[in-house]
Structures are given as structure tokens and as C-alpha cells.
Amino acid sequence: MRAARPSIAEHVDPDAVSPSAPFRTWKQLGLVLLCAAWVALGLAGHDPWKTEDATSIGVAAAMAQSGDFVVPTLAGEPYLPRPPLAYVGGALAIHAFSPPLAVHNAARMVVGVALTLILLATAMASRELNGRAFRWLPVLILVGSVGFWDRAHVLSPELFMTLGMALGLWGLALALRRPLAGGILLGTGLGVGFLGDGLLGPIWLFVSALALPLAGAPWRSRAHLFTLAAAIVTGIALSAPWLVALDARDPALLREWLASEAPGDYLWFLGDGTQRADPLYYLRNLAWFTWPALPLVLWTLWLRARGFHGGLGDPGVVVPGVMSLVIFTGLLVQPDVRLANALPLLVPLALVAGLEVDSLRRGYSGALDWFGILTFGLAAFLMWGLWIDAYVNGMPANVARLFRDTEAGYRPSFHLGTILAALALTTLWVILVRPARRSNRRALLNWAAGVTLVWGLVTTIWLPYLDSRRSYRWTVEAAAAHLPAGGCVASRNLGEPQRALFDYFARVKTVREEVDSAHDCPALIVQYGRLTTPPAPPPGWTTAWSGARRGDDTERFVLYLRDPS
């Protein structure tokens, strides 16, 4: 009978496949530095952009100024679609780091804390489930995840929901050995997830914990019930104070928040029929969003389904696997279709994906390794070449069109510190991927290093260009220069990020026509989509200013002044 392949029939000794086993201390230091670089890059050096970053920083800045940590406000109005943890964290970071940092850069420092805790919780969960030798693998997968690219580096409630899910996953893993400590940690995840983004994260966590007894005997025990009880007590203890404080401030505010947590927001078939789920959206996008975890997860499931290494009943598969299924199912039935909601899915997938990296056939890991080296090497070469060409000659029109930029000729500025940082990142990457003894783990390390390199070039030499195209600073300041000296400013169709940024950059708190249509403000700001011709002013108004972000024709802002006649 033909012998089974060693890489499949038995676990491969991680020390045997690791080329750096004799230099473990240096390897650990290198991994810490890689993760630190990935976390730190992009946190500072640019204005709030039109994502959750703009809204969250606007709310956090207002909170830091007012000192009110109970009721978040956006442009002077209570803002309660989400609980306040992300905004409170940003406000505390502003108090701690501004000055010397600008307010928006200081607010993002809490993002670095959240990312560090996510990576730490993921590593500890993997250590509990799979042993010490596997704690770094899911961390490298997270660092290399396409979905974590820029979405993880903005101040957003979804990031804190992801932190809650990571803490809860660690708690479920720890509970197998220490039920009380695991329950407290699971409850901490419930509380952080709730205070970060509302009920969605806690629902996913609690359903995962309730579903585990269906997966195996270890969870059909009094110990698991004790873990759930401890989690419920801890979660309530962390979550209730904000609800009590909100109700004490104004019961109408609590009712407003409860209205934003309707069952139809999580299960489309419980809604009023105006919104429906779009499962195909996630099925189309998760293949690249979860890369490189998804193919490694499929390999793990295929191998374990054949009975190797404990099979599918191993806790290292069951705990993160059940959570992945719960989150994925929740995404498919949710009417709010946004990839940011899928961020928590990356954490349990990374744990499953790291299980059988050592058993991956060498040809597959070699293909991933060389694909990563060639992809990121070519990307870095192009990024350097385009930057040098733009610095010398200005950005060509065809490159500008590729970037969906309507303004060609951009010339980047020369900043010595930025150039040296980009050169150092490039040099370190070249040294890291130099010809050496290849291994499956080395392939993952090289992939994570490649992602960090490209992200580093984006956030160093290319950051001024991106900021000049994505920032609203110049647009807001240009509009504010044409505002009348007194009176309120109304707005029509102005999105939440834009309202927050008008307040942040120009201290302009707009009166929304959607709320007060009978206003008597002398100025009106209207946000349009893409325009082919200038819009006619509304009756009784005259156009005072029109503008948009640099190189962007998808939005147009027009300032109207009331006709005195």
C-alpha cells in the first residue's frame, strides 16, 4: 500500500519547517516589527476622508470639545445610530495626543490600539486552540488580508465591533480550559462589540456560543453554561451604564437609539419591505476580500474532512468555524450591504486558515510565495516609477484616468523623511524575500511583508496625492469663504461625512432641510452628484460658489445665498 504523504498524514513539526527556528528570538522581534509597521502606517499624515473616518473623527472632535461622553453629536445634532465607544476612544486620544498631533491624526491613535488588541486577541485565541507554535500564523494572515487593507486603518464603529468579536473568540477558546476566565473575556467581547457598533456583534457572538453545543461534546457541559452565564453578567455590566446614562439624560434619546436597532436592520424579512438583502454582493466580493484566508480555509476543510489531524471536530476548527458560519449567514440576511460589516469575519477565518499551513503541499505554498513576490515587487516598482515620473514631468493624463482623476499634471512634493521611510521599507522587503530556504510559513510571511510594503508606499510617497484628492479641506474652506457674516447655514442632500467635515474644518453646523424645511437661513449648501451642466438656483436663491474635491467629478457642492428681494 502506498504510504501517505508526510505533509498530510501527520502534523509537520513547526520547528522543522521554519527556516528561522534556530533564531527564534530574532524571528519574534521581526514579526513584532512587521505588525507594528503595518499598524502604524496610515494612522497619521492625512485629513479625514469620506468614509466612516470622516464621520467618526467629526463626532470624536465634537465630543472632545464638549466633554460629553454620553451623547455623540454630529454637526450640533445628537448622533445615535451607533453607541459611542469609537467616538469616546477618539476623543480620549485627542486629549492625549493633540497637541502635538493634529486633531484628526490624534483621534486615529486609538485605531492603532484597537488593531494591536485585535492581533493580540487573535494570536492568543490561536494559542489556546492550536498551541504556541500556531499563534503567529493567523496574525500574518490578518496583516496580509486584502479586506484589512485600508478599512482597518480608519476610525470606525466596525473596527471596534471586530475587536469585540476577536476578544469573544479568545474567550470561547480560553473557556475550554478556564470556564470563568473565558466567560469574562467573552462578556468583554460582548460589551466592546455592543458599545462599538450596537447589537450586531453581540448577536453574532452569542449565537456562536449557543451553537457550539450542536458541534460537539466539549460544549455540552455545565462548564459551558457557566461560561455563558459569566459572559452575560460581564456583557451587561459593561453595556448597561451607557444605556442608563442615556436614559437619564433624555428618555427620547434612548428611544431614538432603540429605533435604530430594529430587527429589520439585521434580518431583512423582519423589516417593512423597503429594503432587501443582497447575498450575491458578499458572494461576489468575499473571494478577494478574504484573500489569502479563503483558499487556506478550503484546504484545511478538505484535509480535515478526510480525517487528518483531529478532523473537523477539533476545537481549533469548530470554534472559529462556527463563528465564521454565523457571521457569514448574518451578512447574507442583512439589508445593510457594506463590506465594512464583513471585517469581523476575517478574524475567525484567519484562525481556520492557519491550521494546515504546514501541511500545504509545497507546490501550492511555492505558488503563493512567488505570486506574492512578483505581485508586490511589480507593484512597488510601478509605484516608485510613477512617483518619479510624476515628480519630474507631472502625472500623465492616461495615468490620471487610471486613478479616476480628472486633473492631470500632479507633481508630488519632495519630503526627505517620507522618501527615506519608503526606501527603508523597500530595502527591508528586498532583504526579507531574498533567495533563502523556502517553507510554507515563509510564504505567508513574505505575503504579509509584501502587503505591508505596498501599504507603506501608499502611506508615504503617495499619501500627499491621495490626501489632495480625497480630503474635503480645500472644498470646505473655499465654500466657507463665501458665507455671509451672520445667520445660519442650511443644507440639502448633504451626507453625514460632509456635514461632519463642514463642522470640523469651518465650524459650520448646517440646518438640514430634511429636518427643518421652513428655515430662514440666508445661505444654503446643496450636494449634487455628477453634473454635466451647472444647476439652476432654486427660486429665491442666487449662486455664490460652486466647487468639488480636486480631480473628483462625482460630487458637486453649490452654495446659494438667499435673494434679498
Side-chain angles (χ1 to χ4, degrees):
M1 182 176 180
R2 186 175 180 178
R5 297 175 63 92
S7 60
I8 296 179
E10 58 184 3
H11 260 309
V12 180
D13 181 6
D15 291 341
V17 300
S18 175
S20 53
F23 309 100
R24 187 171 301 280
T25 301
W26 291 105
K27 180 179 74 171
Q28 302 296 328
L29 178 61
L31 291 171
V32 169
L33 292 176
L34 174 67
C35 294
W38 177 79
V39 167
L41 290 167
L43 295 183
H46 66 87
D47 287 336
W49 291 343
K50 192 191 74 172
T51 57
E52 278 290 344
D53 196 48
T55 304
S56 298
I57 288 177
V59 175
M63 186 174 283
Q65 186 176 20
S66 68
D68 184 355
F69 295 108
V70 176
V71 183
T73 59
L74 174 66
E77 299 179 9
Y79 183 72
L80 291 169
R82 315 281 179 82
L85 182 58
Y87 316 129
V88 170
L92 293 176
I94 290 170
H95 282 302
F97 300 108
S98 178
L101 296 179
V103 170
H104 50 273
N105 291 330
R108 287 195 207 95
M109 293 301 105
V110 75
V111 174
V113 175
L115 280 177
T116 301
L117 291 176
I118 289 172
L119 297 182
L120 177 62
T122 303
M124 296 305 295
S126 183
R127 177 173 181 169
E128 286 293 332
L129 292 171
N130 309 307
R132 182 174 180 272
F134 287 85
R135 67 190 185 282
W136 277 106
L137 292 178
V139 173
L140 291 176
I141 293 170
L142 281 182
V143 169
S145 292
V146 177
F148 253 29
W149 176 251
D150 62 337
R151 293 172 182 84
H153 289 83
V154 300
L155 183 60
S156 70
E158 290 82 7
L159 180 65
F160 285 84
M161 177 173 64
T162 304
L163 173 58
M165 298 297 291
L167 292 172
L169 180 57
W170 181 12
L172 288 172
L174 180 62
L176 291 169
R177 184 169 58 89
R178 299 173 59 189
L180 177 59
I184 293 174
L185 195 53
L186 174 60
T188 303
L190 291 171
V192 170
F194 170 76
L195 292 174
D197 196 44
L199 292 175
L200 183 60
I203 289 173
W204 285 345
L205 264 181
F206 200 66
V207 171
S208 299
L210 291 178
L212 282 175
L214 302 176
W219 298 278
R220 300 172 191 153
S221 62
R222 292 182 179 179
H224 187 63
L225 292 176
F226 184 63
T227 295
L228 291 179
I232 292 172
V233 172
T234 305
I236 292 175
L238 291 175
S239 304
W242 177 68
L243 296 174
V244 173
L246 189 63
D247 183 61
R249 179 71 59 83
D250 187 348
L253 293 175
L254 180 60
R255 290 194 297 270
E256 179 182 343
W257 174 79
L258 289 173
S260 69
E261 294 284 349
D265 294 334
Y266 303 123
L267 302 172
W268 67 267
F269 49 83
L270 296 181
D272 56 8
T274 59
Q275 289 183 302
R276 298 184 65 87
D278 185 8
L280 293 179
Y281 174 83
Y282 290 107
L283 294 175
R284 288 193 306 266
N285 288 283
L286 284 181
W288 64 264
F289 186 83
T290 60
W291 183 273
L294 186 58
L296 295 175
V297 167
L298 296 177
W299 168 258
T300 297
L301 297 179
W302 180 81
L303 193 63
R304 293 298 183 97
R306 299 172 63 192
F308 294 113
H309 310 161
L312 294 175
D314 184 78
V317 177
V318 172
V319 175
V322 166
M323 184 176 290
S324 298
L325 287 174
V326 169
I327 296 174
F328 180 65
T329 304
L331 292 173
L332 295 182
V333 297
Q334 190 179 16
D336 183 16
V337 180
R338 296 184 306 130
L339 276 176
N341 290 336
L343 278 179
L345 179 62
L346 297 176
V347 176
L349 284 182
L351 262 73
V352 179
L355 281 175
E356 295 298 339
V357 168
D358 296 330
S359 302
L360 195 65
R361 291 175 178 172
R362 191 57 56 88
Y364 297 160
S365 66
L368 175 64
D369 195 9
W370 283 109
F371 174 70
I373 291 174
L374 293 175
T375 299
F376 297 120
L378 180 60
F381 177 79
L382 289 175
M383 294 173 74
W384 273 110
L386 289 174
W387 186 88
I388 294 171
D389 183 51
Y391 180 76
V392 174
N393 304 311
M395 182 175 290
N398 57 344
V399 176
R401 285 194 299 270
L402 180 65
F403 292 161
R404 298 181 180 179
D405 187 349
T406 60
E407 294 181 7
Y410 171 83
R411 288 179 179 270
S413 58
F414 185 91
H415 188 278
L416 181 60
T418 299
I419 299 300
L420 290 178
L423 286 173
L425 284 169
T426 306
T427 303
L428 288 175
W429 179 81
V430 171
I431 293 173
L432 182 65
V433 301
R434 71 192 188 282
R437 177 186 170 188
R438 298 293 174 189
S439 72
N440 294 359
R441 296 190 175 207
R442 183 60 178 262
L444 272 187
L445 175 61
N446 286 349
W447 180 272
V451 168
T452 305
L453 168 65
V454 174
W455 177 241
L457 295 180
V458 166
T459 54
T460 52
I461 57 176
W462 280 103
L463 188 59
Y465 171 77
L466 293 175
D467 196 35
S468 70
R469 268 51 185 168
R470 300 184 68 177
S471 173
Y472 284 83
R473 178 188 296 271
W474 300 275
T475 306
V476 171
E477 291 176 348
H482 293 80
L483 290 173
C488 59
V489 179
S491 66
R492 181 185 301 169
N493 300 327
L494 196 62
E496 288 180 351
Q498 291 80 3
R499 288 177 56 224
L501 293 177
F502 267 91
D503 184 23
Y504 180 73
F505 286 126
R507 297 294 182 263
V508 174
K509 294 178 171 62
T510 60
V511 177
R512 290 185 293 156
E513 283 193 342
E514 295 83 358
V515 176
D516 183 8
S517 59
H519 67 85
D520 59 353
C521 297
L524 171 66
I525 298 173
V526 181
Q527 179 178 340
Y528 295 96
R530 182 180 280 109
L531 294 174
T532 56
T533 59
W541 299 86
T542 59
T543 302
W545 171 87
S546 177
R549 289 184 298 172
R550 296 172 179 173
D552 180 21
D553 64 352
T554 62
E555 293 175 340
R556 194 78 183 172
F557 300 90
V558 181
L559 171 64
Y560 300 106
L561 299 182
R562 192 180 294 274
D563 191 340
S565 62

